[in-house]
Amino acid sequence: MSVLVVFDLDGVLIDSRAANYEAFACGVEALGLPAPAEEAVVSLIGLSAAEMLQKLGCPADRVGEIYEGYVKPHYLENLPRLARAVEGASEVLTQLRQRGHRLVACTSGDRALQEKALRHIGLREFFEDMQTPDDSRYHKPQAEYLRELVQRVGHQGPIVHVEDSLVGLQMGLECGATTVFADYGFGKPEPLEPHFRIQKLSQLLEVEHVL
């Protein structure tokens, strides 16, 4: 039976650590604040850009200005030299497709940035569809955010959801997916319990009785 495999992107398939840090540091410095520590930025990846900026000290009424004027353009300009595919990503996605599974992405990042990142690292061709905040009035951890994607692609079989953030894991569990938590990514699953945990992406191919 064909499985719909839903991937988060940042931290799961895209190593965007350097790109995110530089972009958000640029935005914070534009506020006249000192550059944040890299770990302070990396620990927030998986939240929306607005939430990240506010947690880094940006006033709510300036989030749009700072994101559009500094963070987004810096990320777009520097992504080609900074983004990397997670080790083994192309090989894993190729094998999943060869096994007859369908691949989609569900991310908190906006569409333009994620499309550019996936194309740069050579992974966009693997995905038949993608859910981003530009496509929905919902967001992680709301189960409706993932359900919209599943309904859009017309899938009625089993779902495997690969995540590295608590909000994403909550969404997958509430949606009834078999959840796989990427421990190599940016987040922690606690206090929730995913069905499986992997230390590297290639272990996804070994998830028992699922893929």
Side-chain angles (χ1 to χ4, degrees):
M1 179 181 295
S2 175
V3 174
L4 184 70
V5 189
V6 183
F7 286 93
D8 180 43
L9 294 178
D10 276 358
V12 174
L13 294 177
I14 302 172
D15 182 353
S16 59
R17 190 180 308 262
N20 273 285
Y21 173 68
E22 285 199 7
F24 281 92
C26 176
V28 170
E29 290 179 311
L31 291 163
L33 300 173
E38 181 172 358
E39 187 54 39
V41 175
V42 170
S43 68
L44 299 175
I45 295 175
L47 301 177
S48 69
E51 290 174 302
M52 289 178 67
L53 280 169
Q54 288 186 63
K55 288 182 178 294
L56 291 169
C58 181
D61 61 355
R62 297 195 64 189
V63 163
E65 166 203 346
I66 295 299
Y67 178 71
E68 293 294 338
Y70 297 94
V71 176
K72 183 175 180 178
H74 191 284
Y75 190 93
L76 284 171
E77 179 181 351
N78 292 283
L79 194 60
R81 70 179 176 87
L82 294 173
R84 300 289 184 271
V86 168
E87 182 181 0
S90 181
E91 293 81 1
V92 169
L93 297 179
T94 296
Q95 288 199 46
L96 288 173
R97 291 224 317 210
Q98 288 175 345
R99 295 179 184 184
H101 302 314
R102 303 174 67 187
L103 310 182
V104 294
C106 188
T107 175
S108 295
D110 73 51
R111 179 170 286 276
L113 298 184
Q114 299 305 311
E115 290 273 5
K116 184 161 186 173
L118 285 174
R119 287 195 171 91
H120 169 66
I121 62 178
L123 300 182
R124 181 62 183 93
E125 65 181 283
F126 288 101
F127 296 96
E128 61 180 272
D129 204 346
M130 182 189 308
Q131 179 83 326
T132 78
D134 300 299
D135 308 309
S136 178
R137 63 190 177 92
Y138 300 108
H139 54 80
K140 297 180 183 181
Q142 293 171 296
E144 290 83 0
Y145 190 61
L146 178 52
R147 288 192 184 114
E148 283 184 338
L149 173 60
V150 175
Q151 292 169 0
R152 193 162 66 241
V153 299
H155 183 77
Q156 297 182 351
I159 301 168
V160 171
H161 182 221
V162 191
E163 259 287 353
D164 75 330
S165 72
L166 180 60
V167 290
L169 174 59
Q170 180 180 340
M171 176 186 70
L173 289 169
E174 291 185 4
C175 201
T178 296
T179 55
V180 180
F181 198 85
D183 283 327
Y184 59 83
F186 296 123
K188 301 292 183 185
E190 292 81 8
L192 300 179
E193 288 286 344
H195 295 93
F196 300 93
R197 298 177 73 158
I198 56 176
Q199 307 305 313
K200 55 184 180 179
L201 183 60
S202 61
Q203 292 175 338
L204 179 62
L205 299 172
E206 304 165 8
V207 171
E208 189 175 7
H209 305 308
V210 178
L211 299 172

